[in-house]
Amino acid sequence: MLDVILGAVTTLIAYFLGTIPSGLLVARLRGVNIQQVGSGNIGATNVLRALGVVPAVIVVILDPLKGAIATLIPSLLGIGPWGVALAGLAVVLGNSFNILLRLRGGKGIATSIGVFLVIDPLVALMCIVLGVFTILVSRYVSLGSLVGMVALPLFIIVSATWAWPEMLLAAALAALAIYRHRDNIRRLLAGEERRLGEKVAARH
């Protein structure tokens, strides 16, 4: 019973850690409402296009940190792998469907990577390398994010030590990434997706 209670509490904590809007806060410090610029997304890609490299790098550090901390809490408390997986899912859901921002938020990629840097660092690093390589070749951040996340459950399958909580979490995060990128996928297929380095204008 104690494990169930602790699991529920850490899952709730994880969700609210995820709701910390890193991109929104960093942009506010620069006097910009990131939700009114470009895509309106509060993630690192929109911050990069709107504000430049340094603010985007800060977001790239803070968003995975949320995922890592949310996943470390149940791990350090000795909660089992299912509790850790639930916390990992909750923090990404908090980032992507932020109750403080009317269920709007980021795409959840960086936060997902932070989760798996705790759960399976090698798999997380392989996804990062594959995603970054795809971005460098195509100059599409959305494509690199999707490739890295879709590869996540595949990398776990080919590993020798995977477990069901880890596998199901990876599959859920990959599916969530696809759903959150549905507009990007449509633009990619239509040849209308913005490439890395293109600036954005304020939304009207």
Side-chain angles (χ1 to χ4, degrees):
M1 178 61 72
L2 180 60
D3 282 349
V4 173
I5 295 172
L6 282 176
V9 171
T10 54
T11 298
L12 189 62
I13 290 172
Y15 176 83
F16 281 103
L17 275 172
T19 65
I20 299 172
S22 307
L24 183 68
L25 295 175
V26 169
R28 285 286 191 189
L29 291 175
R30 296 285 295 272
V32 174
N33 183 350
I34 198 65
Q35 292 183 297
Q36 295 179 356
V37 178
S39 65
N41 191 274
I42 66 172
T45 301
N46 200 37
V47 172
L48 173 64
R49 290 186 175 126
L51 299 174
V53 174
V54 174
V57 168
I58 294 172
V59 177
V60 166
I61 293 171
L62 292 178
D63 277 349
L65 187 61
K66 295 190 300 187
I69 292 173
T71 314
L72 274 172
I73 291 173
S75 300
L76 294 175
L77 289 174
I79 296 173
W82 287 107
V84 174
L86 282 174
L89 179 60
V91 69
V92 178
L93 289 174
N95 179 85
S96 299
F97 303 99
N98 192 328
I99 194 172
L100 305 178
L101 299 177
R102 299 181 181 179
L103 298 182
R104 297 175 64 190
K107 299 291 176 65
I109 305 301
T111 306
S112 297
I113 291 299
V115 167
F116 267 88
L117 281 172
V118 172
I119 293 176
D120 196 328
L122 180 58
V123 165
L125 289 173
M126 289 191 295
C127 290
I128 292 171
V129 170
L130 180 59
V132 170
F133 176 78
T134 304
I135 293 169
L136 292 175
V137 171
S138 68
R139 290 182 55 221
Y140 288 122
V141 175
S142 57
L143 182 60
S145 299
L146 284 165
V147 168
M149 288 304 299
V150 170
L152 178 59
L154 301 179
F155 282 143
I156 290 174
I157 287 173
V158 299
S159 70
T161 58
W162 68 272
W164 278 111
E166 178 184 8
M167 181 65 223
L168 292 177
L169 174 61
L173 294 182
L176 180 60
I178 293 170
Y179 174 75
R180 293 291 290 164
H181 281 84
R182 61 196 184 280
D183 291 336
N184 303 87
I185 293 171
R186 283 194 286 267
R187 289 194 296 268
L188 283 166
L189 293 174
E192 298 172 350
E193 181 76 335
R194 285 190 297 266
R195 293 182 185 269
L196 183 65
E198 293 184 23
K199 295 291 184 180
V200 298
R203 305 176 83 196
H204 299 288

